[in-house]
Amino acid sequence: EVQLVESGGGLVHPGGSLRLSCAASGFTFSMFPMGWFRQAPGKGLEWVSSLNSRGGATGYAPSAKGRFTISRDNANDTLYLQMNSLKPEDTAVYYCAKSEGSRGIPHNIDEYDHWGQGTQVTVSS
């Protein structure tokens, strides 16, 4: 059974940083691209970032580029999202997701087939 468990969310002041983690199990983690999505209050699910199976290619939404860094540790089946210079508009529930396919850096919701339960990130003074 595929399991994705996010952690690392919390309350942070504007300008602060957080590092999200996603522990994966139940599949060969190193074979699949992975992604981060978020859902702000009252809004739909939004793609944040993704990377290919080896971690050598990444993609970012314009809102995340230059501030967030996605990475993965294939030896320990873990996905990360380092978030710096956080803004109030980054407040959302953040989800990690496993790609259905094994190639590229997908960024559409329907390209992912398993999701974590989410971790809350709140940016507020």
Side-chain angles (χ1 to χ4, degrees), residues 3 6 13 23 28 30 43 45 68 70-71 73 78 81-83 91 104 110 114 117 121:
Q3 288 196 333
E6 301 95 336
H13 293 308
T28 306
S30 61
K43 296 190 177 181
L45 199 59
F68 295 2
I70 190 171
S71 62
D73 179 350
T78 304
L81 185 68
Q82 177 67 43
M83 304 187 296
T91 295
D110 59 6
H114 288 86
Q117 84 289 347
V121 171

Side-chain angles (χ1 to χ4, degrees), residues 60-99:
Y60 295 93
S63 59
K65 201 165 189 178
R67 299 187 301 126
F68 295 2
T69 303
I70 190 171
S71 62
R72 64 192 298 161
D73 179 350
N74 283 348
N76 290 294
D77 294 354
T78 304
L79 177 71
Y80 300 101
L81 185 68
Q82 177 67 43
M83 304 187 296
N84 298 329
S85 302
L86 283 162
K87 305 174 182 180
E89 51 264 44
D90 295 316
T91 295
V93 178
Y94 284 71
Y95 300 90
C96 69
K98 169 191 166 293
S99 171

Side-chain angles (χ1 to χ4, degrees), residues 2-125:
V2 173
Q3 288 196 333
L4 300 169
V5 181
E6 301 95 336
S7 61
L11 173 64
V12 63
H13 293 308
S17 298
L18 281 175
R19 188 194 198 199
L20 306 183
S21 299
C22 172
S25 62
F27 65 104
T28 306
F29 180 75
S30 61
M31 288 184 62
F32 292 91
M34 298 290 293
W36 286 99
F37 291 77
R38 68 185 183 185
Q39 187 166 26
K43 296 190 177 181
L45 199 59
E46 174 192 21
W47 173 68
V48 175
S49 181
S50 51
L51 79 174
N52 67 349
S53 59
R54 295 187 178 184
T58 58
Y60 295 93
S63 59
K65 201 165 189 178
R67 299 187 301 126
F68 295 2
T69 303
I70 190 171
S71 62
R72 64 192 298 161
D73 179 350
N74 283 348
N76 290 294
D77 294 354
T78 304
L79 177 71
Y80 300 101
L81 185 68
Q82 177 67 43
M83 304 187 296
N84 298 329
S85 302
L86 283 162
K87 305 174 182 180
E89 51 264 44
D90 295 316
T91 295
V93 178
Y94 284 71
Y95 300 90
C96 69
K98 169 191 166 293
S99 171
E100 183 175 22
S102 62
R103 296 191 171 202
I105 44 173
H107 59 273
N108 293 315
I109 293 171
D110 59 6
E111 295 178 282
Y112 290 83
D113 59 1
H114 288 86
W115 301 78
Q117 84 289 347
T119 186
Q120 176 70 48
V121 171
T122 302
V123 184
S124 175
S125 54

